[in-house]
Amino acid sequence: MNQNEEKIKAIRLVAERIRKDSLWMSTRAGTGHLGPALSIADILATLYVGVMKIDPKNPKWPDRDRLILSKGHGCLALYSILSQVGFFDRKYLGDFCTKCDTLLPGHPELKLPGVEANTGSLGHGIAIGMGMALAAKMDGKQYRVFVVTGDGELQEGSNWEAAMAAAHHKLDNLVVIVDRNRLQLGDLTENISKLEPLEEKWKSFGWRVKSINGHDIKELLSTLNDVPFSIGKPSAIIAHTVKGKGLKIAENKVEWHYKVLTKEQYEDLKEELALEELQDE
Amino acid sequence: MSEIKKSTRTSFAEAIVEVGNEYKDVVTVAADSASRYGDFVKKFPERCFNVGIAEQTMIGVAAGLALCGKIPVVTSYANFLAFRAIEQVRVDIATAGLDVKMVGTDTGFSSAWLGFTHLALEDVAAVRSIPNIVIIDPADATEAYLATKAMFEYKGPVYMRLRGRKDEPVLFGKDYVFEIGKGNVLREGKDVLIISSGSAVYESLIAWEILRQKGISAAVVNMATIRPLDEALLLEITSSVQSVVTVEHHNVTGGLGSAVAELLAEKRPDVKLLRMGVKDTFGTAGSEEMLKAYFGLDGNAIAERIKSFLKNDYKSEVN
Amino acid sequence: MLKKEELVYLQEMAKKIRCHIIEMTAVAGSGHPGGSLSCTDILVALYFREMRIDPHNPVWEDRDRFVLSKGHAAPALYAVLAEKGYFPIEELKTLRKTGSMLQGHPDMKKTPGVDMTTGSLGQGLSAANGMAIAGKLDGKDYRVYVLLGDGELEEGQVWEAAMAAAHYKLDNLTAFVDHNGLQIDGPITDVMSPEIIEEKFKAFGWHVIDINGHDFEEIINAIEQAKKMKGKPTVIVANTVKGKGVPYMENEVDWHGKAPTQEQAQEALKALRG
Amino acid sequence: MAKIATREAYGEALAELGEEMKDIVVLDADLSKSTKTSVFAKKFPERFFNLGIAEQNLMGTAAGLATCGKIPFASTFAVFACGRAFEQIRNSICYPNLNVKIAATHAGITVGEDGATHQSIEDMALMRSLPNMTVISPVDAVETKKAVRAAAMLKGPVYLRLGRHPVETIFDDNYEFEVGKGVVLRDGKDVALIATGTMVGESLRAAEVLAKEGIDAMVVNIHTIKPIDEEAILKAAECGAVITAEEHSIIGGLGSAVAEVLIEKKPVLIKRIGIRDVFGMSGKPEELMKAYGITAEDIVNAAKSLLSID
């Protein structure tokens, strides 16, 4: 096995753990956005394990790469990956929406080590990321800023304001990854407000764009390590994904945007998916 | 009061250049509004960003810059900052308590001719409804200058209200002291306490003079910081002065008047209060002077209202 | 094809409107002449040739609608409405005065003929969408026109609305972009480039037509084309000159929001009347 | 009694009204299942418009529809309606005084686990600051239905504040609702509990506890925050002590409105119960109410401390 294949294998394991953690946290809490967390598991695993320059022991390291989860409701996946790479102890995952004033609320907040912005209100992430990218250019720093947005989220006009401005300021250290799972809370994105041709939209706003399979670790790794696609231009990656990926009953099902397993369903699936015990010993 | 005139925007532009010299981390973000930064743009071009007519992005970008250790200043018409981008102000900046300085211009009646879309009469109400944000409404160019400097000594989100490009009377001299969270007693008096902020302070001082000639002794407090409100000062004065009037060039709902009403209602229920301001209606177009008169918020009108307020049973007062 | 006498009529009307704009802003002592002059020909084509309206019944249900999303160009709209007979031309002198029906930005509650209150950039297209949806809903055949500034395209709400208009297949909606290339802080390409405008609208599902915004022939052909387009909204990107018709104002960013003095106004009127 | 969320009642009321009033159109921003406009959408698909995740466009489109004689109900969560689209509501709806109804759900901290970004504790303050706006915050399912109907009949902009979390049904169908009129739910002479929305139930509970301790509390339901019923408030103030209770910031909402009325017209002892100028956080609704000090117990304590000062 060559080095790259080993890495891909490692990332795959981390992604699997994200899925299991997400199921575990959300079932315990009886709440959470499961579908949108499962669709970005591979993207986050690849970024944190194979792409980003971070130091979990020093979460405020000035030269770190930043990740903003603009689709803050997908935070189950973020919490898992942050704990896996060591920003905080895994035992805290049990705090997800189970106690008041938890560090792991229903949308991510800065108080948790590793979280880079308060998100949860859609359409804010690209502008915040743009500010970070500007700061890097000013300070002559090499770090990059990755922003993961939902696809339905792109209906918010604030994204297009920010997209226009980032291109204007030639922020090639800014990367947007669109979780193109084709579903939003209510329906298919194309039934609610058509996003296609999505690539054309980004291009027309001055970005370089690539469309990839958001579950193919190899493709994710090579694409994410290939940014910027063009010097002087921000990069957009349209990652085609499956909402609820990995949980058969949830895949491509709109109702799983905001739905979790019952404890009974969890117990039934435990063996098949090699899930953890729900209760702490 | 001196004869010198200067706009709050001019002194903001002057102060911001000095601040830029002092703090290397200060950056400006504009939404097609870069001229408000004056020479800062020429002097520190590498620290200036313009995102175009996109106020929401301006706020988001400032948040990102702040998260990377910069101290961003943003500015636009108060309406576009405090209305168009209010959710970004709330989520991106206030929830995280980020060190971003927000300067809304053309408040009160100073955008006069532009009509209601540009007349910011609810901006304090909007910003005050959001936790964590200091709100400053300077009375003149001197105070705007000092407040601009003071907000960089404070760490955390600040919203400052400025006015238009037009020069206005300078009320305070070199010895004037500004401190965030502290009201300034401009005139002592025993019959009535006038509390005001921003451009209403000048008019309140004119009212004070008119009242003085009629034998009414008014105290005037400049409450430049609307949040945190200087509760100690107000409680101290109202222990002896029982009639209180708030004057603001803002809607009577949600701004200075409401803040004072909330405090006194809970702590000094024996005090009589009259809130003067724009009475829950939208603005219209007109010169600043015309609008002050139109809304009954110039010195003469203020004095008249206070006279009848003191004369009548306040219970029948409808402001 | 425009008949010769029609063309002359429109050109003469445009001249008149431009003179009103100069006179109004000079009397008011403030206002936005630059962006009013750049969109004059579009407004004249719409109001004096194209739109189905009745100045005696400004709230006629079946009328075509017009939304001035770039509300600061109000002087141009007021001049057109006055010439069309919605209110006496005398009123134009009251622009921006306290109590006047002619506010600094268009106000539907105060001015007959104004279909939507605007002035805060980026909001007009959404309102126009609503009118177009209502038209479809009621089976009415009126059309909705909206005029946007080019700098205005920097507002995100424009793209929210653009996406929705295409999604709802609003072919009864036609947008104009007054592409004069300047905004308050400078050239749009320096401040925050919305270019390439045509490609953006195409990517957002619109039918796009590019024209010279001062050529009546082109304006009217574009409108005709838009009316024939089925299933898609049309945007007409009108390339214009800010301050058009007044030599010292043309392409000068300073004249975005500054009124001419009486002397300057005289000079402008002389140039306009030729 | 059965617990029903006010948003559920909103969905049903809309569907019923849609039958009677053909001019009603409903708009949503991708949240129709949560805001319950989906009930209307199913019944009248041709009069329902989902505008996607784009709240500013939602309000602008509603304004445009209103200019053409429609009665648009625009729905999304309260934070997005009042925050993201504040300027659009101000300029495109309130200033021209257009006949748009903004029915926002998920108001207050009882939204629960979604946390601070989604917990709207400023919405009434923002909407109350806008001229021409009527602000209504119903208590339960019955009042919501009546309020939706009243809003549809009223000409001009209305903001309806609805909750996500199921709440006790307090009123029966004979309950009479009138915009701008406070309702005395319980007479009393020692202290007046003036409440709105979810806090009305808590106030009634508090009054019972107080009664056991010999304190006679009046409970007034102020469902319309703007225009505020001054008469009802002045009458309540005859008790000599007033407590306001709302699931909202103490700044700018019911507490401020009552304070403004009383300090000017009838100064009495006042204590405002509400979120004390801080952001919300994730948690179960009941836990959060406790954490932020807005339960019946907090009202009881406030009443006792107010009266002991006397």
Side-chain angles (χ1 to χ4, degrees):
Chain A
M1 214 189 280
N2 70 24
Q3 217 184 339
N4 200 39
E5 277 171 13
E6 251 172 65
K7 195 181 241 173
I8 289 170
K9 204 174 153 197
I11 293 172
R12 200 165 283 137
L13 282 175
V14 170
E16 278 319 299
R17 166 68 39 211
I18 292 179
R19 295 198 163 89
K20 288 178 191 174
D21 285 347
S22 299
L23 289 172
W24 184 78
M25 284 186 273
S26 58
T27 309
R28 271 172 57 101
T31 183
H33 291 82
L34 193 55
L38 296 177
S39 65
I40 55 170
D42 301 301
I43 296 168
L44 292 192
T46 309
L47 278 168
Y48 277 90
V49 178
V51 179
M52 284 165 61
K53 211 166 52 173
I54 47 169
D55 178 2
K57 295 284 159 284
N58 182 10
K60 295 281 165 209
W61 177 39
D63 292 325
R64 73 193 183 280
D65 286 339
R66 272 98 170 144
L67 178 124
I68 297 172
L69 186 64
S70 191
K71 45 171 286 186
H73 56 280
C75 60
L76 283 165
L78 181 67
Y79 296 154
S80 168
I81 187 70
L82 291 179
S83 76
Q84 288 194 59
V85 296
F87 279 101
F88 57 87
D89 194 286
R90 288 183 53 75
K91 70 179 182 204
Y92 292 110
L93 292 181
D95 288 358
F96 173 76
C97 290
T98 51
K99 60 183 203 188
C100 216
D101 205 17
T102 170
L103 292 180
L104 283 73
H107 291 99
E109 293 183 27
L110 283 161
K111 59 191 175 187
L112 184 71
V115 172
E116 299 283 4
N118 288 355
T119 53
S121 207
L122 295 177
H124 290 221
I126 303 178
I128 298 174
M130 184 190 153
M132 294 175 171
L134 279 173
K137 292 275 177 195
M138 267 182 81
D139 295 346
K141 288 190 184 291
Q142 298 304 308
Y143 69 77
R144 298 164 299 174
V145 185
F146 298 91
V147 182
V148 176
T149 73
D151 47 1
E153 180 177 1
L154 297 178
Q155 291 158 359
E156 290 281 10
S158 47
N159 291 300
W160 300 105
E161 289 185 359
M164 195 185 287
H168 187 85
H169 287 285
K170 303 186 170 55
L171 298 177
D172 52 11
N173 50 350
L174 180 65
V175 183
V176 166
I177 301 144
V178 181
D179 176 23
R180 185 73 174 114
N181 60 37
R182 310 189 79 80
L183 284 173
Q184 57 192 104
L185 188 141
D187 199 347
L188 287 166
T189 56
E190 300 314 278
N191 287 345
I192 288 184
S193 194
K194 229 188 289 349
L195 289 169
E196 295 298 342
L198 190 52
E199 261 198 44
E200 297 305 315
K201 287 193 172 62
W202 285 99
K203 276 186 203 154
S204 73
F205 274 72
W207 289 53
R208 285 296 307 276
V209 196
K210 281 189 184 173
S211 287
I212 62 166
N213 174 349
H215 298 306
D216 182 332
I217 308 276
K218 198 172 158 192
E219 199 177 359
L220 274 167
L221 198 57
S222 66
T223 310
L224 285 164
N225 277 321
D226 189 32
V227 293
F229 302 138
S230 175
I231 299 295
K233 284 191 174 184
S235 312
I237 297 169
I238 298 172
H240 290 273
T241 59
V242 171
K243 201 155 177 172
K245 175 77 176 178
L247 181 66
K248 285 272 166 337
I249 50 170
E251 284 185 6
N252 285 322
K253 294 276 188 337
V254 70
E255 62 271 25
W256 280 86
H257 176 83
Y258 188 56
K259 188 174 166 180
V260 297
L261 289 174
T262 62
K263 295 204 164 129
E264 292 71 34
Q265 284 173 317
Y266 187 91
E267 293 299 332
D268 290 346
L269 286 166
K270 204 157 81 182
E271 207 166 328
E272 183 190 336
L273 299 176
L275 302 173
E276 273 182 60
E277 286 296 331
L278 262 189
Q279 298 307 320
D280 312 315
E281 56 294 342
Chain B
M1 279 182 261
S2 69
E3 297 295 306
I4 307 166
K5 286 189 163 195
K6 191 171 179 179
S7 80
T8 52
R9 264 165 74 165
T10 306
S11 57
F12 165 73
E14 286 167 9
I16 203 75
V17 172
E18 291 175 29
V19 167
N21 274 323
E22 209 173 317
Y23 304 85
K24 299 295 166 222
D25 286 335
V26 168
V27 296
T28 65
V29 189
D32 199 21
S33 51
S35 64
R36 289 171 177 71
Y37 298 118
D39 288 341
F40 191 99
V41 181
K42 266 182 234 139
K43 227 169 150 200
F44 311 106
E46 72 292 352
R47 283 153 65 183
C48 298
F49 307 104
N50 202 331
V51 298
I53 310 170
E55 294 78 11
Q56 308 184 355
T57 290
M58 174 176 77
I59 298 294
V61 166
L65 286 161
L67 285 163
C68 293
K70 304 292 165 207
I71 307 169
V73 196
V74 300
T75 174
S76 179
Y77 284 104
N79 281 2
F80 307 139
L81 204 163
F83 301 164
R84 175 72 60 105
I86 193 73
E87 198 216 6
Q88 279 76 8
V89 169
R90 175 185 191 268
V91 176
D92 300 0
I93 291 173
T95 60
L98 295 181
D99 198 11
V100 176
K101 314 304 174 193
M102 298 169 275
V103 181
T105 68
D106 300 74
T107 62
F109 307 126
S110 65
S111 72
W113 294 111
L114 297 171
F116 96 98
T117 46
H118 291 58
L119 265 178
L121 295 174
E122 308 93 20
D123 58 318
V124 175
V127 177
R128 207 171 69 89
S129 74
I130 300 171
N132 284 348
I133 307 171
V134 168
I135 303 173
I136 308 174
D137 188 16
D140 76 341
T142 305
E143 191 161 61
Y145 173 85
L146 295 171
T148 303
K149 297 207 125 178
M151 64 182 183
F152 289 92
E153 280 155 31
Y154 169 85
K155 207 170 153 52
V158 177
Y159 172 70
M160 182 165 73
R161 291 184 102 200
L162 295 180
R163 293 181 288 280
R165 271 176 294 209
K166 207 177 115 224
D167 288 333
E168 46 185 277
V170 174
L171 309 181
F172 311 128
K174 279 201 175 62
D175 51 343
Y176 185 79
V177 179
F178 171 84
E179 195 182 327
I180 290 176
K182 290 271 180 272
N184 268 318
V185 181
L186 302 181
R187 299 286 187 272
E188 308 262 359
K190 58 182 179 23
D191 297 332
V192 60
L193 165 63
I194 303 172
I195 306 166
S196 63
S197 70
S199 47
V201 173
Y202 171 71
E203 302 300 333
S204 298
L205 289 172
I206 291 176
W208 173 86
E209 176 60 29
I210 298 169
L211 291 170
R212 192 184 62 82
Q213 288 171 9
K214 303 271 176 205
I216 296 170
S217 156
V220 178
V221 167
N222 170 20
M223 196 56 81
T225 314
I226 296 174
R227 181 167 64 195
L229 193 67
D230 192 345
E231 299 193 354
L233 178 71
L234 292 186
L235 291 177
E236 188 198 313
I237 301 177
T238 51
S239 65
S240 57
V241 183
Q242 303 284 296
S243 297
V244 181
V245 177
T246 57
V247 187
E248 60 196 309
H249 288 167
H250 182 275
N251 196 325
V252 286
T253 302
L256 177 68
S258 290
V260 171
E262 289 156 13
L263 172 75
L264 297 182
E266 287 192 348
K267 304 263 172 73
R268 286 260 186 272
D270 44 342
V271 158
K272 326 181 248 184
L273 175 72
L274 168 70
R275 291 175 300 137
M276 292 189 69
V278 174
K279 290 156 208 161
D280 201 18
T281 170
F282 284 109
T284 180
S287 78
E288 198 170 351
E289 299 312 314
M290 290 170 187
L291 289 177
K292 281 180 191 170
Y294 180 83
F295 288 108
L297 291 167
D298 60 5
N300 277 319
I302 294 167
E304 283 307 311
R305 289 289 289 118
I306 290 176
K307 270 193 288 177
S308 68
F309 170 63
L310 293 177
K311 213 182 299 163
N312 295 337
D313 173 12
Y314 65 90
K315 282 180 192 171
S316 65
E317 280 289 333
V318 179
N319 72 347
Chain C
M1 265 301 275
L2 217 45
K3 284 191 209 111
K4 177 101 193 294
E5 59 270 29
E6 274 181 313
L7 180 64
V8 171
Y9 169 70
L10 293 173
Q11 282 168 339
E12 285 305 310
M13 185 54 72
K15 210 180 272 181
K16 241 191 224 174
I17 300 300
R18 286 197 165 91
C19 290
H20 284 314
I21 292 169
I22 296 298
E23 286 170 331
M24 286 163 86
T25 50
V27 171
S30 69
H32 297 83
S36 299
L37 293 168
S38 64
C39 67
T40 298
D41 301 311
I42 298 166
L43 289 184
V44 167
L46 282 173
Y47 277 87
F48 291 91
R49 181 155 198 286
E50 185 50 44
M51 281 169 61
R52 185 175 74 196
I53 42 175
D54 178 3
H56 301 295
N57 184 8
V59 292
W60 178 34
E61 282 183 16
D62 292 323
R63 75 190 185 280
D64 287 345
R65 267 89 173 159
F66 176 76
V67 178
L68 184 68
S69 192
K70 49 170 287 187
H72 54 273
L77 178 61
Y78 296 155
V80 163
L81 292 176
E83 282 291 344
K84 198 73 196 167
Y86 281 91
F87 50 81
I89 289 171
E90 279 304 294
E91 281 291 327
L92 295 178
K93 289 196 184 113
T94 68
L95 173 72
R96 290 176 168 245
K97 298 274 186 262
T98 308
S100 165
M101 69 155 75
L102 304 179
Q103 297 285 299
H105 292 92
D107 185 333
M108 62 184 284
K109 291 287 173 194
K110 292 201 163 84
T111 316
V114 169
D115 289 322
M116 183 64 206
T117 299
T118 51
S120 197
L121 294 177
Q123 302 189 356
L125 185 54
S126 296
N129 280 353
M131 295 173 184
I133 289 173
K136 297 242 167 200
L137 202 55
D138 293 343
K140 289 189 184 290
D141 65 347
Y142 65 74
R143 298 191 60 79
V144 182
Y145 296 93
V146 53
L147 177 71
L148 300 141
D150 49 4
E152 183 177 5
L153 304 181
E154 293 158 13
E155 288 283 8
Q157 191 186 349
V158 171
W159 301 104
E160 294 184 359
M163 207 183 281
H167 186 81
Y168 283 104
K169 304 187 170 66
L170 300 179
D171 49 16
N172 51 349
L173 172 73
T174 304
F176 283 89
V177 175
D178 181 11
H179 192 8
N180 61 35
L182 292 173
Q183 62 189 108
I184 302 176
D185 274 353
I188 53 169
T189 45
D190 290 353
V191 177
M192 175 52 57
S193 177
E195 303 291 357
I196 301 166
I197 296 170
E198 290 82 353
E199 284 184 13
K200 286 191 171 64
F201 274 102
K202 261 182 216 154
F204 275 70
W206 286 56
H207 176 55
V208 184
I209 306 172
D210 201 90
I211 61 162
N212 172 352
H214 299 306
D215 182 323
F216 283 109
E217 195 89 37
E218 289 193 29
I219 299 172
I220 280 152
N221 284 342
I223 294 172
E224 290 302 330
Q225 214 192 102
K227 280 156 77 177
K228 287 188 196 118
M229 189 69 207
K230 293 287 163 236
K232 268 184 179 190
T234 296
V235 59
I236 300 171
V237 180
N239 295 293
T240 59
V241 172
K242 202 156 180 167
K244 176 74 178 178
V246 179
Y248 64 86
M249 285 188 182
E250 285 189 4
N251 288 320
E252 287 296 329
V253 73
D254 283 352
W255 289 101
H256 171 89
K258 189 172 76 174
T261 61
Q262 281 304 337
E263 269 172 24
Q264 288 168 329
Q266 288 314 316
E267 187 189 334
L269 291 174
K270 219 158 119 195
L272 282 168
R273 287 175 183 140
Chain D
M1 227 183 277
K3 284 193 165 190
I4 307 171
T6 49
R7 59 174 167 145
E8 300 277 356
Y10 166 59
E12 287 171 26
L14 262 189
E16 283 169 25
L17 273 177
E19 199 82 60
E20 289 168 44
M21 301 173 75
K22 299 296 176 205
D23 282 336
I24 288 183
V25 291
V26 176
L27 293 82
D28 206 300
D30 190 36
L31 292 169
S32 62
K33 285 179 192 164
S34 302
T35 62
K36 303 298 166 193
T37 56
S38 52
V39 185
F40 181 95
K42 216 166 269 164
K43 214 165 152 190
F44 306 105
E46 74 292 349
R47 279 150 61 193
F48 175 79
F49 303 95
N50 195 334
L51 293 164
I53 310 170
E55 296 77 13
Q56 307 186 342
N57 188 41
L58 170 79
M59 296 306 170
T61 307
L65 282 159
T67 66
C68 298
K70 303 290 166 206
I71 307 173
F73 275 76
S75 284
T76 176
F77 291 174
V79 264
F80 308 133
C82 305
R84 179 71 57 102
F86 183 57
E87 197 209 8
Q88 285 74 14
I89 295 175
R90 177 186 189 268
N91 291 355
S92 297
I93 295 174
C94 280
Y95 183 66
N97 206 4
L98 291 175
N99 199 17
V100 174
K101 317 302 163 187
I102 298 159
T105 66
H106 294 57
I109 53 164
T110 52
V111 165
E113 288 82 356
D114 273 349
T117 51
H118 283 54
Q119 287 162 328
S120 179
I121 50 170
E122 311 91 352
D123 54 320
M124 290 199 285
L126 289 168
M127 291 302 104
R128 203 170 71 91
S129 77
L130 295 178
N132 295 338
M133 183 64 101
T134 296
V135 181
I136 305 176
S137 153
V139 173
D140 68 355
V142 173
E143 190 169 72
T144 300
K145 282 198 170 179
K146 299 196 183 246
V148 173
R149 176 171 293 272
M153 303 292 174
L154 193 93
K155 216 164 155 54
V158 177
Y159 175 68
L160 277 167
R161 183 180 210 243
L162 305 168
R164 168 189 184 224
H165 193 56
V167 289
E168 225 173 294
T169 303
I170 292 174
F171 304 121
D172 59 28
D173 287 338
N174 298 323
Y175 173 73
E176 277 181 35
F177 175 91
E178 190 183 334
V179 175
K181 284 273 171 272
V183 186
V184 177
L185 299 179
R186 180 186 173 121
D187 240 325
K189 58 180 180 7
D190 297 334
V191 59
L193 311 181
I194 300 179
T196 194
T198 41
M199 295 304 288
V200 170
E202 298 295 323
S203 299
L204 285 169
R205 263 191 291 285
E208 276 169 35
V209 176
L210 288 167
K212 283 184 195 134
E213 304 191 19
I215 299 170
D216 191 9
M218 180 182 205
V219 178
V220 185
N221 169 22
I222 295 290
H223 48 69
T224 308
I225 307 296
K226 183 178 180 176
I228 193 104
D229 187 347
E230 297 202 357
E231 208 177 306
I233 290 166
L234 291 173
K235 195 144 192 308
E238 283 168 14
C239 291
V242 168
I243 289 173
T244 63
E246 64 199 303
E247 191 194 328
H248 182 273
S249 171
I250 53 167
I251 295 180
L254 175 72
S256 291
V258 171
E260 287 160 13
V261 172
L262 292 181
I263 190 84
E264 289 181 357
K265 305 217 168 132
K266 189 179 180 63
V268 293
L269 291 168
I270 297 182
K271 174 80 186 160
R272 290 171 298 149
I273 300 270
I275 319 289
R276 303 199 74 81
D277 200 17
V278 288
F279 283 107
M281 61 187 176
S282 285
K284 301 256 176 295
E286 296 77 16
E287 290 171 1
L288 291 171
M289 289 180 73
K290 206 170 273 175
Y292 285 96
I294 56 168
T295 63
E297 198 186 337
D298 297 297
I299 298 172
V300 168
N301 291 338
K304 285 202 267 187
S305 84
L306 257 195
L307 294 176
S308 71
I309 294 169
D310 219 358

